[in-house]
């Protein structure tokens, strides 16, 4: 099964946009292997839009890799990536042209899937720009899914239709393994907060086999790169909260910062074993909410994990310092049971004691706390 747990890796779009090439892909593969990212679970290296020539080959009809960006062709890049123990990902689009106006796969789905298989691709992100009105969204994703299944290679399908057509209700049935449910992320707090909030009610559709993808992480970008938007970037506290949200809701962890230049704070955050364990829990359950105040900006979520464990997320998305209360009764542990919760700070690994009856937690603006918990 390709996506038993949320896929993890790196995608070029957030930082590099159209500035991709053979060399930066190889350097990124090196960084993933050497900095412990692959060992932490980040195995897919995905090349997003802008990798091909502007036109298909007039004779074969195939998409052709850009001769300047990828002078050795795509198979050579893929071989290098595989040589590092990583998996290789490509990008195309359901329309006639991609979002950045390169050839799309409409009416060439089977030929392109075959081409990606020849490259040795293990992953395909499939976008939704410039689609003809003659075909509806679900049919276009069925087509590429069937084409991949006919390609002779096992290729993970990462659908990217930004939540159109109530995607969460049908995308699993057509064979995709993850699905973008929102518009594009930008490297600032409001962008990821709004993306997250828009999906709170839809996460229950996400489960092993097919996960809700709320976009590539901006963690560690510090406003450098293609999706810097207003150039604000995020603070380390905000990146910590972004990562915690993705992990708590079993979202695919696709890194978007320049991994060749990743700093120690970011590396430590994205390789945190406890957070990754929460994201990758094999049961993939959606959390339930136990506290909601300040217009819904201050919340507590409880995620039931395997092995009789829980993850607790105390979240302050508001712009003010805020207090939240986890009342054990509200999560199904009445006082009369005589039970409490033994908690460990997920970020530091430190024992944080036992909660009896309730826990009060103060949080700075945009901050969060995450605990692993057991009933004792
Ligand atoms: C769309 C997608 C992005 C990225 C770009 C590439 O906007 O949502 O994630 O793939 O296209 O052009």
């Amino acid at each position: 099964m390709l996506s038993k747990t949320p896929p993890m890796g790196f995608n070029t779009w957030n930082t590099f946009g159209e500035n991709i090439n053979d060399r930066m892909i190889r350097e990124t593969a090196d960084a993933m292997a050497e900095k412990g990212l692959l060992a932490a679970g980040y195995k897919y290296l995905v090349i997003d839009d802008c990798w091909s020539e502007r036109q298909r080959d007039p004779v074969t009809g195939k998409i052709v890799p850009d001769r300047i960006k990828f002078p050795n062709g795509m198979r050579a890049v893929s071989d290098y990536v595989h040589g590092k123990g990583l998996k290789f990902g490509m990008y195309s689009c359901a329309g006639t042209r991609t979002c950045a106006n390169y050839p799309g796969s409409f009416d060439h789905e089977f030929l392109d899937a075959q081409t990606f298989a020849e490259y040795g691709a293990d992953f395909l992100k499939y976008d939704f720009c410039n689609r003809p009105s003659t075909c509806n969204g679900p049919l276009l994703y069925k087509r590429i899914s069937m084409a991949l299944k006919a390609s002779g290679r096992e290729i993970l399908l990462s659908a990217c239709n930004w939540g159109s057509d109530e995607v969460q209700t049908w995308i699993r049935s057509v064979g995709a393994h993850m699905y973008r449910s929102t518009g594009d992320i930008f490297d600032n707090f409001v962008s990821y907060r709004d993306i997250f909030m828009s999906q709170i009610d839809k996460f229950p559709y996400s489960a092993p086999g097919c996960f809700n993808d709320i976009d590539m992480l901006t963690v560690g970008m510090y406003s450098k790169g293609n999706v810097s938007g207003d150039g604000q970037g995020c603070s380390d506290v905000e990146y910590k909260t972004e990562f915690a949200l993705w992990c708590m809701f079993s979202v695919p962890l696709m890194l978007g910062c320049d991994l060749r230049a990743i700093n120690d704070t970011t590396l430590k955050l994205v390789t945190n074993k406890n957070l990754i364990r929460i994201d990758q829990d094999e049961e993939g359950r959606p959390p339930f909410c136990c506290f909601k105040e300040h217009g819904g900006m201050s919340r507590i979520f409880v995620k039931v994990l395997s092995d009789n464990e829980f993850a607790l997320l105390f979240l302050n998305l508001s712009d003010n310092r805020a207090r939240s209360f986890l009342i054990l009764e509200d999560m199904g542990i009445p006082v009369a049971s005589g039970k409490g919760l033994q908690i460990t700070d997920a970020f530091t690994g430190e024992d944080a004691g036992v909660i009896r009856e309730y826990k009060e937690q103060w949080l700075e603006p945009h901050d969060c706390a995450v605990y692993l918990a057991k009933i004792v």
Side-chain angles (χ1 to χ4, degrees), residues 11 13-14 48-50 91 98-101 125 127-129 160-162 180 182-185 215-216 226:
N11 175 299
W13 184 252
N14 280 4
D48 207 283
D49 204 351
C50 311
Y91 164 99
T98 70
C99 299
N101 197 23
K125 174 172 168 182
D127 222 330
F128 203 48
C129 286
C160 180
N161 82 340
W162 323 300
R180 270 279 299 285
T182 70
D184 291 9
I185 199 166
D215 214 345
M216 287 89 70
N226 186 43

PDB file of all heavy atoms in Angstrom, residues 11 13-14 48-50 91 98-101 125 127-129 160-162 180 182-185 215-216 226, ligand 1:
ATOM      1  N   ASN A  11       9.188  19.025  -2.037  1.00  0.00           N
ATOM      2  CA  ASN A  11       8.683  19.459  -3.341  1.00  0.00           C
ATOM      3  C   ASN A  11       9.347  20.792  -3.699  1.00  0.00           C
ATOM      4  O   ASN A  11       9.524  21.653  -2.831  1.00  0.00           O
ATOM      5  CB  ASN A  11       7.156  19.596  -3.260  1.00  0.00           C
ATOM      6  CG  ASN A  11       6.545  20.165  -4.531  1.00  0.00           C
ATOM      7  OD1 ASN A  11       6.846  21.284  -4.928  1.00  0.00           O
ATOM      8  ND2 ASN A  11       5.669  19.405  -5.171  1.00  0.00           N
ATOM      9  N   TRP A  13       8.366  23.399  -5.472  1.00  0.00           N
ATOM     10  CA  TRP A  13       7.610  24.602  -5.795  1.00  0.00           C
ATOM     11  C   TRP A  13       7.799  25.766  -4.817  1.00  0.00           C
ATOM     12  O   TRP A  13       8.044  26.903  -5.227  1.00  0.00           O
ATOM     13  CB  TRP A  13       6.119  24.275  -5.937  1.00  0.00           C
ATOM     14  CG  TRP A  13       5.322  25.463  -6.358  1.00  0.00           C
ATOM     15  CD1 TRP A  13       4.450  26.191  -5.605  1.00  0.00           C
ATOM     16  CD2 TRP A  13       5.339  26.087  -7.650  1.00  0.00           C
ATOM     17  NE1 TRP A  13       3.919  27.231  -6.338  1.00  0.00           N
ATOM     18  CE2 TRP A  13       4.458  27.184  -7.595  1.00  0.00           C
ATOM     19  CE3 TRP A  13       6.024  25.826  -8.843  1.00  0.00           C
ATOM     20  CZ2 TRP A  13       4.239  28.017  -8.687  1.00  0.00           C
ATOM     21  CZ3 TRP A  13       5.804  26.673  -9.931  1.00  0.00           C
ATOM     22  CH2 TRP A  13       4.921  27.752  -9.841  1.00  0.00           C
ATOM     23  N   ASN A  14       7.654  25.520  -3.524  1.00  0.00           N
ATOM     24  CA  ASN A  14       7.617  26.628  -2.557  1.00  0.00           C
ATOM     25  C   ASN A  14       8.846  27.524  -2.624  1.00  0.00           C
ATOM     26  O   ASN A  14       8.730  28.750  -2.584  1.00  0.00           O
ATOM     27  CB  ASN A  14       7.474  26.096  -1.125  1.00  0.00           C
ATOM     28  CG  ASN A  14       6.041  25.734  -0.789  1.00  0.00           C
ATOM     29  OD1 ASN A  14       5.165  25.807  -1.658  1.00  0.00           O
ATOM     30  ND2 ASN A  14       5.788  25.330   0.438  1.00  0.00           N
ATOM     31  N   ASP A  48       8.263  19.821  -9.156  1.00  0.00           N
ATOM     32  CA  ASP A  48       6.956  20.425  -9.473  1.00  0.00           C
ATOM     33  C   ASP A  48       6.982  21.014 -10.888  1.00  0.00           C
ATOM     34  O   ASP A  48       7.806  20.621 -11.732  1.00  0.00           O
ATOM     35  CB  ASP A  48       6.608  21.465  -8.390  1.00  0.00           C
ATOM     36  CG  ASP A  48       5.118  21.681  -8.198  1.00  0.00           C
ATOM     37  OD1 ASP A  48       4.512  22.373  -9.050  1.00  0.00           O
ATOM     38  OD2 ASP A  48       4.550  21.176  -7.208  1.00  0.00           O
ATOM     39  N   ASP A  49       6.116  21.942 -11.149  1.00  0.00           N
ATOM     40  CA  ASP A  49       5.914  22.546 -12.475  1.00  0.00           C
ATOM     41  C   ASP A  49       7.219  23.156 -13.027  1.00  0.00           C
ATOM     42  O   ASP A  49       8.149  23.427 -12.273  1.00  0.00           O
ATOM     43  CB  ASP A  49       4.848  23.645 -12.331  1.00  0.00           C
ATOM     44  CG  ASP A  49       4.121  23.943 -13.624  1.00  0.00           C
ATOM     45  OD1 ASP A  49       4.544  23.437 -14.675  1.00  0.00           O
ATOM     46  OD2 ASP A  49       3.125  24.686 -13.578  1.00  0.00           O
ATOM     47  N   CYS A  50       7.248  23.365 -14.350  1.00  0.00           N
ATOM     48  CA  CYS A  50       8.317  24.106 -15.055  1.00  0.00           C
ATOM     49  C   CYS A  50       9.537  23.252 -15.383  1.00  0.00           C
ATOM     50  O   CYS A  50      10.634  23.777 -15.585  1.00  0.00           O
ATOM     51  CB  CYS A  50       8.765  25.341 -14.275  1.00  0.00           C
ATOM     52  SG  CYS A  50       7.429  26.395 -13.694  1.00  0.00           S
ATOM     53  N   TYR A  91       5.603  15.932 -11.873  1.00  0.00           N
ATOM     54  CA  TYR A  91       4.418  16.794 -11.851  1.00  0.00           C
ATOM     55  C   TYR A  91       3.808  16.881 -13.241  1.00  0.00           C
ATOM     56  O   TYR A  91       4.528  16.994 -14.238  1.00  0.00           O
ATOM     57  CB  TYR A  91       4.845  18.195 -11.395  1.00  0.00           C
ATOM     58  CG  TYR A  91       3.828  19.293 -11.672  1.00  0.00           C
ATOM     59  CD1 TYR A  91       2.970  19.750 -10.662  1.00  0.00           C
ATOM     60  CD2 TYR A  91       3.729  19.887 -12.931  1.00  0.00           C
ATOM     61  CE1 TYR A  91       2.051  20.766 -10.923  1.00  0.00           C
ATOM     62  CE2 TYR A  91       2.811  20.894 -13.195  1.00  0.00           C
ATOM     63  CZ  TYR A  91       1.975  21.335 -12.182  1.00  0.00           C
ATOM     64  OH  TYR A  91       1.061  22.329 -12.430  1.00  0.00           O
ATOM     65  N   THR A  98      -0.070  23.272 -18.024  1.00  0.00           N
ATOM     66  CA  THR A  98       0.059  23.308 -16.562  1.00  0.00           C
ATOM     67  C   THR A  98      -0.268  24.717 -16.063  1.00  0.00           C
ATOM     68  O   THR A  98      -0.484  25.631 -16.864  1.00  0.00           O
ATOM     69  CB  THR A  98       1.493  22.971 -16.123  1.00  0.00           C
ATOM     70  OG1 THR A  98       2.354  24.060 -16.486  1.00  0.00           O
ATOM     71  CG2 THR A  98       1.985  21.674 -16.747  1.00  0.00           C
ATOM     72  N   CYS A  99      -0.217  24.892 -14.755  1.00  0.00           N
ATOM     73  CA  CYS A  99      -0.544  26.210 -14.191  1.00  0.00           C
ATOM     74  C   CYS A  99       0.477  27.257 -14.614  1.00  0.00           C
ATOM     75  O   CYS A  99       0.174  28.431 -14.701  1.00  0.00           O
ATOM     76  CB  CYS A  99      -0.645  26.119 -12.673  1.00  0.00           C
ATOM     77  SG  CYS A  99      -1.946  24.988 -12.155  1.00  0.00           S
ATOM     78  N   ALA A 100       1.709  26.823 -14.890  1.00  0.00           N
ATOM     79  CA  ALA A 100       2.742  27.763 -15.336  1.00  0.00           C
ATOM     80  C   ALA A 100       2.922  27.695 -16.853  1.00  0.00           C
ATOM     81  O   ALA A 100       3.951  28.113 -17.391  1.00  0.00           O
ATOM     82  CB  ALA A 100       4.057  27.483 -14.615  1.00  0.00           C
ATOM     83  N   ASN A 101       1.913  27.151 -17.533  1.00  0.00           N
ATOM     84  CA  ASN A 101       1.867  27.151 -19.007  1.00  0.00           C
ATOM     85  C   ASN A 101       2.896  26.270 -19.708  1.00  0.00           C
ATOM     86  O   ASN A 101       3.482  26.657 -20.724  1.00  0.00           O
ATOM     87  CB  ASN A 101       1.940  28.604 -19.524  1.00  0.00           C
ATOM     88  CG  ASN A 101       1.475  28.698 -20.979  1.00  0.00           C
ATOM     89  OD1 ASN A 101       0.715  27.830 -21.456  1.00  0.00           O
ATOM     90  ND2 ASN A 101       1.947  29.703 -21.686  1.00  0.00           N
ATOM     91  N   LYS A 125       2.428  14.351  -8.902  1.00  0.00           N
ATOM     92  CA  LYS A 125       1.497  15.411  -8.471  1.00  0.00           C
ATOM     93  C   LYS A 125       0.736  15.844  -9.712  1.00  0.00           C
ATOM     94  O   LYS A 125       1.347  16.125 -10.754  1.00  0.00           O
ATOM     95  CB  LYS A 125       2.271  16.576  -7.864  1.00  0.00           C
ATOM     96  CG  LYS A 125       1.386  17.789  -7.531  1.00  0.00           C
ATOM     97  CD  LYS A 125       2.152  18.839  -6.758  1.00  0.00           C
ATOM     98  CE  LYS A 125       1.371  20.139  -6.682  1.00  0.00           C
ATOM     99  NZ  LYS A 125       2.120  21.194  -5.976  1.00  0.00           N
ATOM    100  N   ASP A 127      -2.024  18.423 -11.235  1.00  0.00           N
ATOM    101  CA  ASP A 127      -2.671  19.725 -11.012  1.00  0.00           C
ATOM    102  C   ASP A 127      -3.968  19.862 -11.819  1.00  0.00           C
ATOM    103  O   ASP A 127      -4.367  18.920 -12.523  1.00  0.00           O
ATOM    104  CB  ASP A 127      -1.637  20.808 -11.379  1.00  0.00           C
ATOM    105  CG  ASP A 127      -1.639  21.958 -10.401  1.00  0.00           C
ATOM    106  OD1 ASP A 127      -2.701  22.243  -9.837  1.00  0.00           O
ATOM    107  OD2 ASP A 127      -0.572  22.576 -10.215  1.00  0.00           O
ATOM    108  N   PHE A 128      -4.579  21.043 -11.765  1.00  0.00           N
ATOM    109  CA  PHE A 128      -5.953  21.163 -12.270  1.00  0.00           C
ATOM    110  C   PHE A 128      -6.186  22.409 -13.135  1.00  0.00           C
ATOM    111  O   PHE A 128      -7.322  22.801 -13.345  1.00  0.00           O
ATOM    112  CB  PHE A 128      -6.880  21.182 -11.039  1.00  0.00           C
ATOM    113  CG  PHE A 128      -8.296  20.774 -11.291  1.00  0.00           C
ATOM    114  CD1 PHE A 128      -8.610  19.629 -11.999  1.00  0.00           C
ATOM    115  CD2 PHE A 128      -9.347  21.539 -10.788  1.00  0.00           C
ATOM    116  CE1 PHE A 128      -9.931  19.259 -12.211  1.00  0.00           C
ATOM    117  CE2 PHE A 128     -10.673  21.172 -10.984  1.00  0.00           C
ATOM    118  CZ  PHE A 128     -10.961  20.038 -11.701  1.00  0.00           C
ATOM    119  N   CYS A 129      -5.116  23.055 -13.626  1.00  0.00           N
ATOM    120  CA  CYS A 129      -5.301  24.268 -14.441  1.00  0.00           C
ATOM    121  C   CYS A 129      -5.662  23.915 -15.889  1.00  0.00           C
ATOM    122  O   CYS A 129      -5.362  22.820 -16.364  1.00  0.00           O
ATOM    123  CB  CYS A 129      -4.011  25.091 -14.457  1.00  0.00           C
ATOM    124  SG  CYS A 129      -3.706  25.957 -12.915  1.00  0.00           S
ATOM    125  N   CYS A 160      -4.282  17.365  -7.124  1.00  0.00           N
ATOM    126  CA  CYS A 160      -4.139  18.761  -6.700  1.00  0.00           C
ATOM    127  C   CYS A 160      -5.227  19.600  -7.341  1.00  0.00           C
ATOM    128  O   CYS A 160      -4.971  20.372  -8.250  1.00  0.00           O
ATOM    129  CB  CYS A 160      -2.745  19.260  -7.090  1.00  0.00           C
ATOM    130  SG  CYS A 160      -2.420  20.958  -6.625  1.00  0.00           S
ATOM    131  N   ASN A 161      -6.502  19.404  -6.899  1.00  0.00           N
ATOM    132  CA  ASN A 161      -7.573  20.201  -7.513  1.00  0.00           C
ATOM    133  C   ASN A 161      -8.112  21.246  -6.553  1.00  0.00           C
ATOM    134  O   ASN A 161      -9.199  21.775  -6.745  1.00  0.00           O
ATOM    135  CB  ASN A 161      -8.686  19.294  -8.061  1.00  0.00           C
ATOM    136  CG  ASN A 161      -9.647  18.860  -6.978  1.00  0.00           C
ATOM    137  OD1 ASN A 161      -9.316  18.899  -5.786  1.00  0.00           O
ATOM    138  ND2 ASN A 161     -10.847  18.455  -7.343  1.00  0.00           N
ATOM    139  N   TRP A 162      -7.340  21.531  -5.502  1.00  0.00           N
ATOM    140  CA  TRP A 162      -7.592  22.636  -4.563  1.00  0.00           C
ATOM    141  C   TRP A 162      -8.961  22.551  -3.868  1.00  0.00           C
ATOM    142  O   TRP A 162      -9.563  23.573  -3.533  1.00  0.00           O
ATOM    143  CB  TRP A 162      -7.473  23.992  -5.275  1.00  0.00           C
ATOM    144  CG  TRP A 162      -6.393  24.040  -6.301  1.00  0.00           C
ATOM    145  CD1 TRP A 162      -5.071  23.837  -6.089  1.00  0.00           C
ATOM    146  CD2 TRP A 162      -6.530  24.301  -7.703  1.00  0.00           C
ATOM    147  NE1 TRP A 162      -4.367  23.948  -7.267  1.00  0.00           N
ATOM    148  CE2 TRP A 162      -5.237  24.231  -8.272  1.00  0.00           C
ATOM    149  CE3 TRP A 162      -7.629  24.588  -8.535  1.00  0.00           C
ATOM    150  CZ2 TRP A 162      -5.013  24.430  -9.639  1.00  0.00           C
ATOM    151  CZ3 TRP A 162      -7.394  24.790  -9.893  1.00  0.00           C
ATOM    152  CH2 TRP A 162      -6.096  24.713 -10.422  1.00  0.00           C
ATOM    153  N   ARG A 180      -4.886  17.593  -2.616  1.00  0.00           N
ATOM    154  CA  ARG A 180      -4.862  18.983  -2.177  1.00  0.00           C
ATOM    155  C   ARG A 180      -6.292  19.453  -2.037  1.00  0.00           C
ATOM    156  O   ARG A 180      -7.111  19.308  -2.942  1.00  0.00           O
ATOM    157  CB  ARG A 180      -4.117  19.837  -3.196  1.00  0.00           C
ATOM    158  CG  ARG A 180      -2.616  19.946  -2.935  1.00  0.00           C
ATOM    159  CD  ARG A 180      -2.283  20.980  -1.869  1.00  0.00           C
ATOM    160  NE  ARG A 180      -2.728  22.291  -2.285  1.00  0.00           N
ATOM    161  CZ  ARG A 180      -2.107  23.021  -3.203  1.00  0.00           C
ATOM    162  NH1 ARG A 180      -1.005  22.604  -3.761  1.00  0.00           N
ATOM    163  NH2 ARG A 180      -2.598  24.203  -3.537  1.00  0.00           N
ATOM    164  N   THR A 182      -7.066  22.681  -0.741  1.00  0.00           N
ATOM    165  CA  THR A 182      -7.152  24.142  -0.613  1.00  0.00           C
ATOM    166  C   THR A 182      -6.318  24.807  -1.711  1.00  0.00           C
ATOM    167  O   THR A 182      -5.526  24.153  -2.376  1.00  0.00           O
ATOM    168  CB  THR A 182      -6.561  24.610   0.738  1.00  0.00           C
ATOM    169  OG1 THR A 182      -5.144  24.419   0.703  1.00  0.00           O
ATOM    170  CG2 THR A 182      -7.133  23.848   1.915  1.00  0.00           C
ATOM    171  N   GLY A 183      -6.472  26.122  -1.809  1.00  0.00           N
ATOM    172  CA  GLY A 183      -5.616  26.908  -2.700  1.00  0.00           C
ATOM    173  C   GLY A 183      -4.188  26.927  -2.169  1.00  0.00           C
ATOM    174  O   GLY A 183      -3.881  26.324  -1.140  1.00  0.00           O
ATOM    175  N   ASP A 184      -3.335  27.630  -2.878  1.00  0.00           N
ATOM    176  CA  ASP A 184      -1.895  27.575  -2.573  1.00  0.00           C
ATOM    177  C   ASP A 184      -1.526  28.268  -1.268  1.00  0.00           C
ATOM    178  O   ASP A 184      -2.043  29.333  -0.939  1.00  0.00           O
ATOM    179  CB  ASP A 184      -1.097  28.219  -3.713  1.00  0.00           C
ATOM    180  CG  ASP A 184      -1.140  27.379  -4.978  1.00  0.00           C
ATOM    181  OD1 ASP A 184      -1.921  26.404  -5.019  1.00  0.00           O
ATOM    182  OD2 ASP A 184      -0.381  27.693  -5.909  1.00  0.00           O
ATOM    183  N   ILE A 185      -0.572  27.680  -0.586  1.00  0.00           N
ATOM    184  CA  ILE A 185      -0.059  28.232   0.662  1.00  0.00           C
ATOM    185  C   ILE A 185       0.945  29.356   0.347  1.00  0.00           C
ATOM    186  O   ILE A 185       1.594  29.334  -0.708  1.00  0.00           O
ATOM    187  CB  ILE A 185       0.631  27.125   1.494  1.00  0.00           C
ATOM    188  CG1 ILE A 185       0.769  27.530   2.954  1.00  0.00           C
ATOM    189  CG2 ILE A 185       1.997  26.740   0.907  1.00  0.00           C
ATOM    190  CD1 ILE A 185       1.113  26.374   3.885  1.00  0.00           C
ATOM    191  N   ASP A 215      -1.222  21.245   1.601  1.00  0.00           N
ATOM    192  CA  ASP A 215      -0.128  21.890   0.850  1.00  0.00           C
ATOM    193  C   ASP A 215       1.245  21.653   1.476  1.00  0.00           C
ATOM    194  O   ASP A 215       1.376  21.250   2.622  1.00  0.00           O
ATOM    195  CB  ASP A 215      -0.363  23.392   0.653  1.00  0.00           C
ATOM    196  CG  ASP A 215       0.195  23.879  -0.682  1.00  0.00           C
ATOM    197  OD1 ASP A 215       0.985  23.133  -1.299  1.00  0.00           O
ATOM    198  OD2 ASP A 215      -0.167  24.978  -1.116  1.00  0.00           O
ATOM    199  N   MET A 216       2.242  21.967   0.667  1.00  0.00           N
ATOM    200  CA  MET A 216       3.621  21.801   1.106  1.00  0.00           C
ATOM    201  C   MET A 216       3.904  22.765   2.250  1.00  0.00           C
ATOM    202  O   MET A 216       3.430  23.907   2.247  1.00  0.00           O
ATOM    203  CB  MET A 216       4.585  22.115  -0.055  1.00  0.00           C
ATOM    204  CG  MET A 216       4.624  21.070  -1.138  1.00  0.00           C
ATOM    205  SD  MET A 216       3.418  21.314  -2.473  1.00  0.00           S
ATOM    206  CE  MET A 216       4.043  22.742  -3.329  1.00  0.00           C
ATOM    207  N   ASN A 226       9.730  31.181  -3.762  1.00  0.00           N
ATOM    208  CA  ASN A 226       8.667  31.387  -4.727  1.00  0.00           C
ATOM    209  C   ASN A 226       7.316  31.733  -4.108  1.00  0.00           C
ATOM    210  O   ASN A 226       6.502  32.383  -4.735  1.00  0.00           O
ATOM    211  CB  ASN A 226       8.563  30.098  -5.557  1.00  0.00           C
ATOM    212  CG  ASN A 226       7.606  30.197  -6.687  1.00  0.00           C
ATOM    213  OD1 ASN A 226       7.577  31.201  -7.389  1.00  0.00           O
ATOM    214  ND2 ASN A 226       6.815  29.164  -6.885  1.00  0.00           N
TER     215      ASN A 226
HETATM  216  C1  LIG B   1      -0.728  25.213  -8.685  1.00  0.00           C
HETATM  217  C2  LIG B   1      -0.512  24.269  -7.489  1.00  0.00           C
HETATM  218  C3  LIG B   1       0.836  24.583  -6.844  1.00  0.00           C
HETATM  219  C4  LIG B   1       1.949  24.449  -7.861  1.00  0.00           C
HETATM  220  C5  LIG B   1       1.669  25.366  -9.047  1.00  0.00           C
HETATM  221  C6  LIG B   1       2.656  25.137 -10.179  1.00  0.00           C
HETATM  222  O1  LIG B   1      -0.897  26.521  -8.264  1.00  0.00           O
HETATM  223  O2  LIG B   1      -1.555  24.414  -6.571  1.00  0.00           O
HETATM  224  O3  LIG B   1       1.047  23.720  -5.744  1.00  0.00           O
HETATM  225  O4  LIG B   1       2.051  23.118  -8.273  1.00  0.00           O
HETATM  226  O5  LIG B   1       0.372  25.136  -9.575  1.00  0.00           O
HETATM  227  O6  LIG B   1       2.399  25.983 -11.264  1.00  0.00           O
END
